[in-house]
Each structure stands twice: as structure tokens, then as C-alpha cells.
Amino acid sequence: MGKASTKPSEGQGELEEALEVLREALGEALTSWTPAGPRRAWADVALRAHVPAIKALLGVFPDLRLSAITGMDLGDQMALYYHLRLGDSILTLRMPLGEGVFTVESITGLIPGADLHEREVFDMLGVVFEGHPDLRRLLLPDDAPEGFHPLRKAVEARTLRAEKTKPILRPIITEEKGSVLTLIIGPQHPALHEPERFVFKVDGEVVVGVDIRIGYAHRGIEEATEHRTYIQDLYLCERVCGICNVAHSLCYCLTVEELMGLEVPPRAQFLRVIAAELNRLHSHMLLLGVAAEEMGFRTLFMYIWRDREIVMELMEMLTGNRVMSSFNRIGGVSRDVAPSLAEKMRSRLPELRERLEHYKEVFETDPTVLARTEKVGILTREEAIALCAAGPTLRGSGVDFDVRANDPYAAYGEISSFRTVARKECDNLARYLVRLEECLVSIDIIDEALSALPGGPTRVRAPRRVKPGEAVCTVEAPRGELLYYIRSDGTDKPARVKIRTPTFTNLAPLRRMLEGVYVADIPVTLASIDPCFSCTDRAVFVDVRTGETWSCYLDELLTGRGVRN
């Protein structure tokens, strides 16, 4: 299939143990069990059996994390799919809600990180989660028409028109007393990719509470995929994130190839690895430069971005493009690499390695960097697991998990130079150092893959129509585990596409990291998860004692000039 690997799997043992746990806990409420390869299984459970199922699994798999919740309108009823990460495996609990049923029990009491996942399903499909601590709109405006949920089949996306909404997202003074201020950051900032809105409760200079609001750049891509062919959707999904475009196109192709039963040629698998690691280098170096600027270290920012040009030139050699690669195809890749080009690419790697080793030393020793990152933005190992962190955010808290190692895809199972990078400091510095060390690992992987490219074709022909079925695949994107779920109905268009990006699942851990940091450390802590959205260029402060408001820029926060006593 699309996930070629020679690494022995521990997934089968995990899934067999999970099956026994569910049989004992649910009895007849476990209606069916369907294996889907060495690291995938589907478990059908009766309505409201999801809570005892997850509770029983947590008793045996304490590091269990929720990867995503896929909500679906099947026409006659709703269904919820809980994609659970059990070590190397993904177990999906499929629960039909029944005709006319729109209410289920929340799992936030068991998995706190399910908070935003449930709010997304509520917003998009109207499923109400009883017991959720804060069930409200997440993507749509607060004043969206009651009962309007765009992923329901009754809503025709092509007939939707923009409506003027009421400005009800202004700062609201409620129960705050004493020295606590309400600090609004967002939703606009030109330095990052997408807008975001944060409401901070600040006691003096210290953050004591955080609320996050997303949806300002919501483009309806999941709905749009249902109206396009599988080939068209490849280019659409690639544009979910410009910086992580290789990860998105690769995960999409792997999922479709799983549905089609395609065997991708080994040479294409190695070329996919090379593109993915160049993409990782590009993303990490971009973020490290931005982080340096947020710390006020603009010289370091300029040097890192200067050396990032090497990566972009290598990407252009491989794919023909510097940013949007358009390299992955269903069944393989778009271009081959000649031996002379492979050697030319390898010749650029030693220079890049030398520069990255220097930047790692700077991050580890420079007083400016250490003052802004060391013991700042703490996220403990237990919190990272409970809040379902992903990628460097998870590994920076001491959790040794990387999809490339634990659930390998493409040719990662055949790459000997790969190693998982994890650190135990649990702070901003750990998350940045994880990325720097991963850059060095990526160089090793690229060098090995270029030197060991197998012969053969780079692509196989894929059918235009996909037989009915469903598949879920994950890849290790630069920001963390990226998940795609696709349901096919036998046509040339998917019936459902679910995309769970790493930033989305890292928002709940981010809220925890920000609690207790100084106002001036908000930008550096935000950057430590490498968010794929804008924060803001301006901040609005509200003094809850007097009602006075004022504005300042983030660089004024860094110097203290924007905060009033």
C-alpha cells in the first residue's frame, strides 16, 4: 500500500489488546471490529458506548491521545468517529447517533484535549456534547444563525452568501476585579500566515487565563473537496498550508492510495522522503528565525533566513518550485532525479549542517535566548499527553513519539539515520532545540536517501474512480502529526474528507503554556508551537477597574512601554 515500511510493527499487539479491553468493557455494545492493516482498526460501538470504551482504553493505555473527531452527516443520521492514538496504532471508534439524535456525552472529563475537537463538531454539524465545559461556536461567528451548521447535507455550500454580522466580539467586561486586565490580541498580524484571536486575563504582568478563537481564515476546504475530483483535491489539500504543502499532499496521497490499494514504487517513496525533509527544514528554519525576531535578536533572525535560502534552492532542484512543490502525485511523484543532480544536492548539505550546528550552539548558550525561553511556557509530560499535543510540542515535553518512527510511511522504515528527537525540559527552549536537532537529523536523512535511491519508476497509474471504503492516514508534518480521513463512495469524488492539522490540536496545550508567563513572553511562547496563523500586530488593553482602553504594538510589550500601572 502507500505506507511502505520494513520496520516490525508493534501495532498488531496493541490493537489485539485494545480489542480484548473493549470486549470486556462493552460486551454487546461493541458491535463489530474490522482490522485495516498492521496499525489500523475500526471498532463500531453502540450509541453512548464511546465514554466507557475510552475510559477502559485509558486504563490500559495511559498515554492514549485523541488524534481527531470526524463528524459526518450520513443523510438519515449523524455519526462520530473518534480517532485514538494508541502508541504506534490508530484505533477509530465509529458511533452512529441514530435518526434524530444530536446529543452525546462529552469526553473532555477523560481527555481534556478533546475540548476544541468537540467544539468544532458542534459548530460544523450541530452535535451537542453534554458535560462540555464551554460548548460554543469555534469557527463561525457567535451571531451565526441558530441551527446553521455548514457540514450538514441540508446545507448547500454553493448557495451560501456573505452576511453582515454584528460586532459582538468586542471586549466584554464581566466579573474581573482588582488588578486583572482583559488583554485582546488578534485577529490580524502581517508576520504570520493566518489570523487568530486571543483573550488574555492578566494580573499585573502575569497571564492568568487564556481564551482562543479561530475561524478567521476558515475556507471550507473539507466541504470543497466533496465537490471536486480526487485529482483536483490533491492541489486543494496542498494549499491548506503553504509551508507544510509537502506534508498535506503526501498525507492526502497516502490516504487515497490506501483506498485504491496502490503499491507506490520504492524510488518514489525515497523521493517523497527527500521532499518531506526539505519541507521540514524550510518550516523549522523559518520558525526559528521568527522566534529570534520575537526575542529581539534580529541579527540571528537575518542569518537563519539567509541560510534558509539553501533549503529553498534544494527544493527547487528537486521539484522545480521553491515553496509550493506540487511534487506528490497519487501513485508516486511528478519528477525524477538524475544522478548528477543528486550529487549536486548532496554537495550543499555540509554547508547547511555547519550553519545549523552554530545556531544550535547559539540557542543553547546565548543569554538573550535563554532569558526568554528557559523555564518559560512550561508544559509537563502529563499535560502534553492529556491535552493531546503533537510534534515538537509533544517531544519537547519528553514524549518520545514521532510518526516517522512509530507509524512509518513512505521509505522512513528503511532510513537508518533517522532518530526521534525528544527533550525533557518541557519549556520554550526545549521546543526550539527539538526543532534545531531535527534539522540536523533531516540533513542526515536527505543525504542517505539521495545516496541510496533505488532504481525503477517514480509513479504508477491510478484509477480515476475509487471503490467504496474509508481510510485514515497520518504523517509527521513539521508542526506535528497530520491526520487525513477520507470516505469514498465509488465515484470520482470523495464523500467526506477530514483534515486535522497539528496547530489545531496544539491550541489546547498552548493555553496551558501561556498561563503564568509574563505579557512580554506571550509572542515567544506562541511561536514555540510554530502556529499556522497570525497572532496580531496590535493589542488592546482593557482596565476592568475603570473601563479605560488603550492600544500598543507587540514590540512595545517587549520593552514594557505598552503596559500601564
Side-chain angles (χ1 to χ4, degrees), residues 90-199:
I90 288 185
L91 170 62
T92 299
L93 301 182
R94 300 185 294 199
M95 183 175 70
L97 303 192
E99 186 175 357
V101 177
F102 301 100
T103 302
V104 299
E105 188 177 349
S106 171
I107 64 170
T108 52
L110 298 172
I111 304 177
D115 174 13
L116 298 182
H117 295 271
E118 291 184 346
R119 283 179 59 187
E120 180 191 31
V121 174
F122 165 72
D123 204 3
M124 294 291 100
L125 284 161
V127 177
V128 176
F129 292 89
E130 294 178 332
H132 190 286
D134 187 22
L135 192 62
R136 54 192 168 93
R137 295 279 191 186
L138 179 67
L139 299 168
L140 297 180
D142 285 345
D143 62 343
E146 186 176 353
F148 175 73
H149 304 285
L151 283 185
R152 287 192 177 180
K153 295 299 183 185
V155 176
E156 175 51 56
R158 294 175 184 268
T159 65
L160 297 180
R161 294 293 181 268
E163 295 184 9
K164 186 175 181 180
T165 58
K166 301 175 183 178
I168 63 174
L169 289 179
R170 293 174 177 171
I172 299 175
I173 309 303
T174 53
E175 75 286 354
E176 296 87 354
K177 297 179 181 179
S179 60
V180 177
L181 305 179
T182 299
L183 166 62
I184 311 296
I185 293 184
Q188 299 298 334
H189 189 287
L192 296 176
H193 315 129
E194 297 172 339
E196 188 83 350
R197 183 174 184 267
F198 296 86
V199 179

Side-chain angles (χ1 to χ4, degrees), residues 169-422:
L169 289 179
R170 293 174 177 171
I172 299 175
I173 309 303
T174 53
E175 75 286 354
E176 296 87 354
K177 297 179 181 179
S179 60
V180 177
L181 305 179
T182 299
L183 166 62
I184 311 296
I185 293 184
Q188 299 298 334
H189 189 287
L192 296 176
H193 315 129
E194 297 172 339
E196 188 83 350
R197 183 174 184 267
F198 296 86
V199 179
F200 294 98
K201 302 298 182 184
V202 182
D203 186 355
E205 290 277 353
V206 179
V207 176
V208 295
V210 187
D211 181 46
I212 298 176
R213 181 57 185 266
I214 63 176
Y216 294 93
H218 189 69
R219 295 162 286 172
I221 285 181
E222 289 185 6
E223 172 71 21
T225 58
E226 298 178 18
H227 301 277
R228 289 163 175 80
T229 66
Y230 285 96
I231 295 175
Q232 292 171 324
D233 284 341
L234 170 59
Y235 301 97
L236 182 63
C237 291
E238 187 175 39
R239 283 153 179 80
V240 171
C241 175
I243 301 301
C244 299
N245 64 87
V246 175
H248 280 275
S249 63
L250 176 55
C251 198
Y252 174 82
C253 288
L254 289 171
T255 313
V256 176
E257 289 158 4
E258 187 75 22
L259 287 167
M260 292 179 172
L262 282 183
E263 188 74 35
V264 177
R267 187 173 181 86
Q269 301 282 27
F270 273 75
L271 291 171
R272 283 178 168 183
V273 166
I274 296 167
E277 294 309 310
L278 286 172
N279 195 200
R280 192 178 319 279
L281 279 166
H282 179 196
S283 178
H284 282 355
M285 294 182 73
L286 184 146
L287 179 275
L288 292 165
V290 169
E293 186 180 33
E294 298 287 11
M295 299 173 201
F297 202 158
R298 293 188 177 179
T299 302
L300 181 59
F301 156 68
M302 293 177 186
Y303 275 124
I304 293 177
W305 273 41
R306 178 200 67 182
D307 294 328
R308 186 175 63 105
E309 281 295 310
I310 299 174
V311 179
M312 299 181 76
E313 290 168 4
L314 289 170
M315 180 65 83
E316 187 174 15
M317 292 180 196
L318 178 68
T319 70
N321 299 296
R322 285 166 57 86
V323 180
M324 297 302 297
S325 64
S326 296
F327 187 61
N328 289 305
R329 296 288 188 271
I330 299 173
V333 295
S334 62
R335 290 162 55 119
D336 201 354
V337 173
S340 58
L341 180 58
E343 288 304 314
K344 184 178 180 181
M345 292 176 67
R346 292 183 68 196
S347 69
R348 301 296 306 275
L349 297 178
E351 176 189 1
L352 184 60
R353 170 182 291 282
E354 181 181 355
R355 298 304 302 164
L356 285 166
E357 287 174 344
H358 172 64
Y359 297 139
K360 181 173 180 289
E361 181 182 357
V362 171
F363 269 79
E364 290 175 332
T365 60
D366 186 86
T368 300
V369 175
L370 296 177
R372 306 302 304 279
T373 61
E374 197 170 23
K375 296 182 173 58
V376 178
I378 298 297
L379 181 73
T380 67
R381 185 183 191 278
E382 293 72 24
E383 290 168 339
I385 293 171
L387 296 173
C388 306
T393 304
L394 180 69
R395 294 189 289 277
S397 293
V399 180
D400 190 4
F401 177 85
D402 189 308
V403 179
R404 294 171 291 172
N406 296 80
D407 191 3
Y409 52 94
Y412 281 107
E414 302 173 47
I415 300 292
S416 61
S417 57
F418 172 74
R419 61 181 178 86
T420 300
V421 178

